[in-house]
Structure formats: C-alpha cells, structure tokens
Amino acid sequence: MVVLALSVITIIGISGDIVAARLQNLRLQYLFVLLVMSALVISLGVYITSIRNGALKAVKESEEFLNTVLQSLQTGVLVIDAQTHTIVDANALALSLIGAPKETVVGKNCQNYICPAEPGTCPVTDGNQIFENAERTLITSKGEGIPVLESVNSIKFGGKLLLLETFIDIRERKKMEELTAQLIHDRELANNELKDFVYIISHDLKAPLRAIGSLSQWLYSDYQDKFDKEGKIQLDLLVNRVNRLQSLIDGILEYSRVGRIRDEKETLDPTVLIREIIDSLSPPSHISVIIDTPLPAVHYEKTRIRQVFSNLIGNAIRYMDKPQGEIHIGCIRDGDYWKFFVKDNGPGIDEKYYDRVFQIFQTLHARDEVESTGVGLTIVKKIVETYGGKVWIESEPGKGSTFYFTIPVQGTA
C-alpha cells in the first residue's frame, strides 16, 4: 500500500523522498505522543498510589492515635456492636478489671461481663436506654461481681452503630458507704444511750437531790439556833453544794437537748428577747446593759436564741468586777451572716484560756468564788455551730471581753 501511495504521489508530481521523510516524521511524532501518554499514565499511577499510601498511613496513624487514647483512659471502656451485642474492642483497664486477655474478651456477648440480663436481651439497646453514671455490676472472668458506675453512649463508626460503655470501679466508694451507714447506726445507738443517760439523770439523780435539798433547808430553818458558827457555815456549804449539783444536772440536760430536740422556728425580734432576758436576770444596779445597734429580725428557735444571749449576758454580769459595769450588745452584717457581739468591761480573759472557756465544766474561777456550772458557754458554742455559725472571744486582761457569734442571715427551714 505504501508503494501504491508513493506511485500515486509520484503521478501527481510529488517526490517519493519527500513523502518518505514526512512519513518518518509522523512516525516519530506518534511515538513521542505514545511516550508522553505512557509517562502520564505512569505518573498518574504513582500519584494514585501515593495518595492511597498516604490515606492508608493517615488511617493507620488515626487508628493508632485512637487506640492510644482508648488505652490511656482512666476508665474501663468496652466498644460493643449494637446489633450483635458482641464486644469489638476493650481498653487495658477494662481487661484488667475483667481479668482476661483481649483475645478472650473480644467477640463475646457483652452480657458475659457487664450488666447481666436474661439471655438474648440487652437492658440498653432493647430498652433504647442511653444513660450516665448508673450503678451496674461487672462480672470478672472468675465470676466475681464488681460494682461499677457505668455510662453508655451510641456512636456510628464505619457505617456501624456501636455502643461505647465506660465504667469506673466503685468498690472503695461502696466500702465508704457501708462504713458511713455503720457509723450512722453506731451514732443512733449512742444517741439512744444518751437518751437513757439523760433519763437516769433527770429521774434517778434529781429525786434524791431534791430530798437532800429539802432536808438541808429543814435543818437550816428548824435547828439553826442549835448550830454553832462553824456548823452554820458547813450547813450553808451543804445547801450551796446541793443547789450547784442541781444546776449542773440542769445544764447537762440542756446541753444534751441541743440539736436533739428541735422547736418550731419563728421570726424573732432580738431586741425584745434581750429585754426579757435582762428582766429575768435582774442585774445589780451598778451594771447597765446597753443595746448599741439595731438588731435584725431572725428566723430561728426562740428557746435556743434565748439560751445564747442569756448565757453570754449572764456570764458578763456574773464575772463583773468593776464598780460601774457596762455590757454592750450589737450586730453587724458580715456577708451571708449576722455577727452579734456581747461586750463587757469586766476582768477580761488571757488569750491562753480562750479555748478553755468553751469546754464543758471548765471555769476560770473557783466555784466557791463565783458560782458557775461551766456548761453555759459550751451550750452557746453547740447551738451556734448547729445553726452553721461560729463563736469566738476577743479579750484583754483587765479591760473586758467581747464574745462574738455568727448565724446565717437566712435561717434554714
């Protein structure tokens, strides 16, 4: 055919050499195009391979990253197929709690290990429940139950619906709860014993004391002229000791009632209450009680608030050593608390005795010098702390004392 073409070309007047040269040129151009296309195909293949390798590398790195995160979590994690309920992955902490290697756990039904139910049922997927911090039981490979706090969330990954179950071991918390329950039980027993003790004090001790007191008064009244001076002194001491013991028992009873017996709360005007207390205490004429600031209304138990002010004012009166005694009462707002104060110009208290004055049965003076049970300030402290406040003292020997106490502005209902 090429010869025929050359013959035709020769006939029409074109040289055969020229045609041969042109055909050779076309062959070269065709080969060049083939080479270019081959190079493009190869380059495209390399590019696609590179992309695929990069994608595979990225996927691998992503999987490694997710696995690192999964293994580093401080909670047990089980990844579960929502359709088959089989475990598809687990982290180290979960495997440690279960007590089995990963190859043993993966592929098993999740109910073999977590929140057991009837065969063929799942309390999560069947009930369409996604929950947080629910108490469940983890079953170990040895069949032991471990209390756990579990959360379940559904996720989609790779076109599959998965359940992500996370849980923490709460055995220590359960032990603490059991210990707390035991302590509460022991406290209730102790409270019952205290009630019995209070009953004994109020009945078995006060009755003979009243008899001794009556007998002492009878002796003092009917046979006073039969006693000499020393005998009269001893009889006076006997009467005073009986009265002191009765006051001490009353103080113990009052202390035991604080926090145990609750009265109805009511809105109180402390100014009115303090005036009633002053009238009942009847301070000597040389001692004046002054209310320095307006006192806010408070919503608390009247009996307890009366005890607080009565003991503080009574103490200031009892220990006053100045010819002109002054007792000042006031209140200021201190954040969410009312801060009351009872200030006197009495003997004052050395700083080293600050804690002692609030301890039960502790007094700073001999009881024959100043009659006191040593219970009053202890009652004040217990009442104030029961209300969520605090009580303290600031004083300087020879210049008087100031007792402060706080109670929340909003009394608890």
Side-chain angles (χ1 to χ4, degrees):
M1 177 177 272
V2 173
V3 173
L4 178 59
L6 289 174
S7 299
V8 172
I9 292 170
T10 303
I11 292 171
I12 63 175
I14 301 175
S15 171
D17 293 336
I18 295 174
V19 172
R22 289 180 179 178
L23 286 175
Q24 182 65 23
N25 188 37
L26 286 172
R27 290 193 191 96
L28 292 174
Q29 290 179 8
Y30 177 69
L31 289 173
F32 177 74
V33 169
L34 288 177
L35 288 172
V36 170
M37 290 182 66
S38 298
L40 287 174
V41 169
I42 293 170
S43 298
L44 182 60
V46 171
Y47 179 68
I48 291 173
T49 302
S50 176
I51 291 176
R52 184 182 63 184
N53 291 340
L56 290 174
K57 182 179 179 183
V59 170
K60 185 177 180 181
E61 289 178 350
S62 178
E63 289 178 348
E64 290 176 351
F65 173 75
L66 290 175
N67 187 61
T68 301
V69 171
L70 183 67
Q71 299 303 326
S72 63
L73 290 175
Q74 297 302 305
T75 59
V77 180
L78 292 178
V79 182
I80 299 168
D81 188 313
Q83 299 301 319
T84 64
H85 303 169
T86 56
I87 300 171
V88 298
D89 203 355
N91 73 344
L93 186 55
L95 296 172
S96 174
L97 289 174
I98 292 172
K102 189 172 183 178
E103 54 269 20
T104 301
V105 173
V106 171
K108 294 289 182 64
N109 190 291
C110 62
Q111 292 173 34
N112 289 347
Y113 303 110
I114 195 76
C115 56
E118 293 296 326
T121 66
C122 178
V124 178
T125 55
D126 294 349
N128 195 26
Q129 301 173 35
I130 301 301
F131 53 82
E132 291 186 0
N133 297 330
E135 288 195 14
R136 293 289 187 268
T137 301
L138 177 74
I139 305 301
T140 69
S141 59
K142 296 180 179 179
E144 299 172 350
I146 297 177
V148 295
L149 203 62
E150 182 187 11
S151 296
V152 176
N153 288 284
S154 62
I155 59 172
K156 280 191 175 181
F157 187 79
K160 280 189 175 183
L161 180 63
L162 302 174
L163 294 176
L164 192 65
E165 297 195 13
T166 61
F167 47 88
I168 58 174
D169 184 352
I170 57 172
R171 280 177 290 185
E172 290 301 320
R173 194 187 79 173
K174 284 294 185 182
K175 288 180 182 178
M176 291 302 298
E177 288 176 354
E178 292 173 1
L179 178 60
T180 301
Q182 183 62 44
L183 290 174
I184 292 174
H185 176 69
D186 293 344
R187 187 185 68 178
E188 290 176 352
L189 289 178
N191 285 338
N192 290 332
E193 291 177 357
L194 177 60
K195 291 177 184 177
D196 295 339
F197 174 69
V198 170
Y199 178 84
I200 291 171
I201 290 178
S202 60
H203 290 82
D204 296 354
L205 289 182
K206 292 191 76 173
L209 271 177
R210 282 193 295 268
I212 295 172
S214 298
L215 179 60
S216 302
Q217 291 291 346
W218 175 67
L219 287 172
Y220 194 86
S221 300
D222 293 356
Y223 293 93
Q224 186 176 12
D225 57 336
K226 301 295 191 293
F227 291 100
D228 58 12
K229 183 177 180 181
E230 183 63 26
K232 291 178 180 180
I233 292 174
Q234 295 301 323
L235 191 58
D236 285 338
L237 287 175
L238 176 61
V239 172
N240 290 335
R241 294 294 190 278
V242 170
N243 291 336
R244 181 186 301 166
L245 189 53
Q246 287 179 333
S247 297
L248 187 60
I249 291 173
D250 290 338
I252 294 173
L253 290 173
E254 286 298 327
Y255 181 77
S256 70
R257 291 191 183 103
V258 176
R260 184 170 57 86
I261 299 176
R262 305 300 293 266
D263 296 330
E264 289 293 327
K265 293 185 177 182
E266 56 184 293
T267 301
L268 305 171
D269 183 348
T271 301
V272 174
L273 196 62
I274 288 170
R275 286 172 181 163
E276 293 174 358
I277 292 170
I278 294 170
D279 288 340
S280 66
L281 292 175
S282 299
S285 58
H286 72 284
I287 298 177
S288 58
V289 182
I290 305 160
I291 299 176
D292 289 344
T293 68
L295 302 181
V298 295
H299 189 72
Y300 286 98
E301 299 164 278
K302 183 175 182 179
T303 302
R304 300 307 175 208
I305 295 297
R306 176 187 287 274
Q307 282 180 296
V308 171
F309 281 111
S310 182
N311 278 301
L312 293 176
I313 297 171
N315 262 20
I317 294 172
R318 185 179 301 113
Y319 292 101
M320 181 58 66
D321 63 344
K322 302 296 191 298
Q324 292 298 321
E326 291 186 4
I327 300 171
H328 295 265
I329 302 168
C331 179
I332 60 173
R333 179 75 177 258
D334 186 8
D336 294 331
Y337 294 84
W338 292 119
K339 183 167 75 173
F340 290 89
F341 65 84
V342 177
K343 180 180 181 181
D344 65 68
N345 65 336
I349 300 173
D350 194 292
E351 185 176 357
K352 64 183 179 181
Y353 298 121
Y354 284 0
D355 292 333
R356 180 178 171 182
V357 297
F358 293 108
Q359 295 175 5
I360 195 166
F361 306 139
Q362 296 295 314
T363 61
L364 301 183
H365 298 269
R367 286 185 170 87
D368 289 332
E369 297 177 7
V370 180
E371 193 64 39
S372 174
T373 61
V375 180
L377 291 179
T378 309
I379 291 176
V380 169
K381 185 174 186 290
K382 189 173 183 181
I383 292 173
V384 170
E385 291 181 351
T386 298
Y387 285 148
K390 61 180 181 178
V391 60
W392 69 97
I393 181 175
E394 294 179 4
S395 182
E396 186 176 347
K399 295 185 178 181
S401 304
T402 303
F403 283 85
Y404 294 95
F405 72 90
T406 61
I407 56 174
V409 171
Q410 298 295 330
T412 54

